Amino acid sequence: MARGELMKKLLASFGREDEFRAVAEQIIGEEEKKNNRVLADSLRKSLDAPLAGRKPKRHSALAPLLPFPDAAGDFVERIEPEKSKSDIVLSAPNVRVLLGLQKEYRKSDEIRRHGLPVRSKLLFCGPPGNGKTLAAEVFAAELGLVLYIVKLDRLISSYLGETASNLRKVFDMARTQPCVIFFDEFDALARSRSDEGEHNELRRVVNSLLVFIDRLQPKGFLIAATNHDKALDPAVWRRFDEVIWFEKPELPMVRRYLIMKFKNVKTEFNPADWSRKLEGFSYAEIERVCLQSIKSMVIESRSKVRERDFNRALTDEVRRRSKNQALQS
């Protein structure tokens, strides 16, 4: 947006703290894109400092700017990533995109010095149980970043204006230190505003969310995940630098996953031979089959997993799966 238009918006929003701050952040972002780091840092310090040495005016619908991590501590859970790339099976396109993002992050300062943007806002889409959360954890681990999972049950408030206020705390945190902020079930926040069943307060939350994503330039990554991509507001999509799809695994990926799950377990059969019978299953469903068959070995004090253990676990999963599908139809 042209500087003149931003200045008009800034003056017009004076007195309305949330709008004023959002426009000011846009101006700072423009200066950072132009590599005017000194000016951008100076503007940010002025924005975060109390005005004219007096206590800033508080409003019930606005979040006070508190130091990290206190401001968002009630709404996020800190996770020290334990999984690595050897614990996940991804499609070739997803591997390529995620590796590219890691390389960009490691060269982010050099990229910005050339006046180029760094991709840092990711949207993970796909049916449940296919690795979105695990991929976020592995991605954070590979970059040596702490993972913060947003607790939607605490973030979403029944009080007017508080959800947007809580959101701002989380986004301020994302701007403060290098980390990965992970929003699971993102459609609960970013549901389409055209849905007639939604009330005005949720529409206001979506409006605030779009502004926060727009002005965010995280030092790490913002990752949002959804199982219901069709429920997202259309304006959400262009706010993300990358959209990554997590589909149910194809046959070669099922085979690799089975080999991975039994790599440290002795078996009397070749688990990979069962790949075709598990085609069409999600990773979560396949994992349950594997773990249940291994537990059978432990319960019976044996040293190897038998083929019948696997077959019984698969039979149980098929039964569970058919019941779930019947309930959803």
Side-chain angles (χ1 to χ4, degrees):
M1 185 180 293
R3 176 185 286 270
E5 289 301 315
L6 283 174
M7 294 304 295
K8 287 180 185 177
K9 286 180 67 175
L10 185 70
L11 293 174
S13 63
F14 184 75
R16 298 189 297 275
E17 185 179 341
D18 53 344
E19 294 181 30
F20 184 88
R21 182 177 181 84
V23 179
E25 286 282 0
Q26 283 185 271
I27 294 173
I28 293 170
E30 291 292 330
E31 295 304 324
E32 287 176 335
K33 288 178 182 178
K34 296 174 185 175
N35 209 27
N36 295 333
R37 308 294 299 184
V38 175
L39 176 58
D41 290 344
S42 176
L43 289 173
R44 196 176 295 287
K45 286 178 182 178
S46 299
L47 181 63
D48 291 341
L51 294 174
R54 61 182 173 84
K55 200 170 184 179
K57 183 181 179 181
R58 296 286 178 85
H59 191 283
S60 60
L62 300 176
L65 295 178
L66 301 176
F68 173 84
D70 298 335
D74 291 337
F75 313 117
V76 296
E77 179 183 2
R78 179 185 175 122
I79 303 293
E80 294 291 345
E82 297 178 353
K83 302 293 184 180
S84 69
K85 59 185 178 183
S86 62
D87 297 308
I88 192 170
V89 175
L90 295 171
S91 66
N94 285 358
V95 170
R96 180 179 56 78
V97 172
L98 291 171
L99 285 177
L101 289 163
Q102 290 173 17
K103 290 177 182 178
E104 268 193 41
Y105 176 77
R106 295 186 177 109
K107 292 281 188 177
S108 58
D109 289 341
E110 187 175 341
I111 290 170
R112 289 191 180 99
R113 279 198 295 271
H114 284 78
L116 299 170
V118 175
R119 293 175 294 172
S120 57
K121 304 168 194 177
L122 317 177
L123 180 60
F124 289 180
C125 298
N130 286 294
K132 296 186 291 295
T133 303
L134 178 58
E137 181 178 348
V138 171
F139 187 72
E142 290 296 305
L143 290 172
L145 296 174
V146 174
L147 174 66
Y148 288 97
I149 296 180
V150 178
K151 296 183 283 190
L152 289 183
D153 58 328
R154 295 192 181 183
L155 182 77
I156 298 175
S157 172
S158 59
Y159 293 102
L160 184 66
E162 278 202 5
T163 299
S165 172
N166 297 342
L167 265 173
R168 196 179 86 183
K169 292 178 184 179
V170 173
F171 277 84
D172 281 341
M173 185 185 78
R175 180 171 56 82
T176 304
Q177 80 165 33
C179 60
V180 174
I181 303 288
F182 183 68
F183 283 84
D184 201 2
E185 299 181 0
F186 188 61
D187 47 280
L189 285 171
R191 191 168 293 276
S192 175
R193 289 166 292 180
S194 63
D195 188 339
E196 294 181 359
E198 301 300 345
H199 50 76
N200 289 333
E201 174 59 11
L202 184 58
R203 292 191 180 99
R204 283 193 287 270
V205 169
V206 176
N207 290 338
S208 297
L209 179 65
L210 294 175
V211 171
F212 294 149
I213 298 175
D214 250 348
R215 66 182 171 94
L216 178 66
Q217 293 194 13
K219 293 187 176 180
F221 289 87
L222 166 70
I223 301 179
T226 179
N227 303 330
H228 306 287
D229 52 276
K230 292 181 181 178
L232 295 178
D233 191 275
V236 166
W237 295 89
R238 66 180 180 83
R239 262 74 180 185
F240 288 92
D241 303 317
E242 283 293 347
V243 178
I244 302 176
W245 298 90
F246 291 78
E247 305 290 354
K248 290 183 178 180
E250 297 177 355
L251 188 60
M253 296 168 68
V254 173
R255 183 181 179 84
R256 285 166 51 201
Y257 190 73
L258 287 171
I259 292 170
M260 181 186 74
K261 297 306 291 186
F262 285 96
K263 64 182 177 182
N264 296 318
V265 181
K266 292 181 180 179
T267 63
E268 293 182 352
F269 67 105
N270 182 4
D273 291 343
W274 287 77
S275 301
R276 195 166 295 280
K277 290 190 176 181
L278 288 163
E279 193 174 8
F281 284 62
S282 69
Y283 282 123
E285 292 168 332
I286 299 170
E287 183 180 42
R288 272 197 297 268
V289 173
C290 296
L291 295 181
Q292 197 58 41
S293 63
I294 294 170
K295 280 192 283 185
S296 295
M297 174 194 73
V298 174
I299 290 168
E300 296 181 13
S301 302
R302 289 186 270 105
S303 60
K304 293 182 179 180
V305 178
R306 296 174 179 171
E307 193 161 27
R308 73 178 185 183
D309 298 328
F310 194 91
N311 188 37
R312 285 174 181 171
L314 177 57
T315 300
D316 287 341
E317 187 60 37
V318 170
R319 174 188 53 79
R320 169 179 174 155
R321 199 168 185 251
S322 63
K323 291 290 185 182
N324 288 342
Q325 289 173 346
L327 288 171
Q328 292 172 11
S329 62

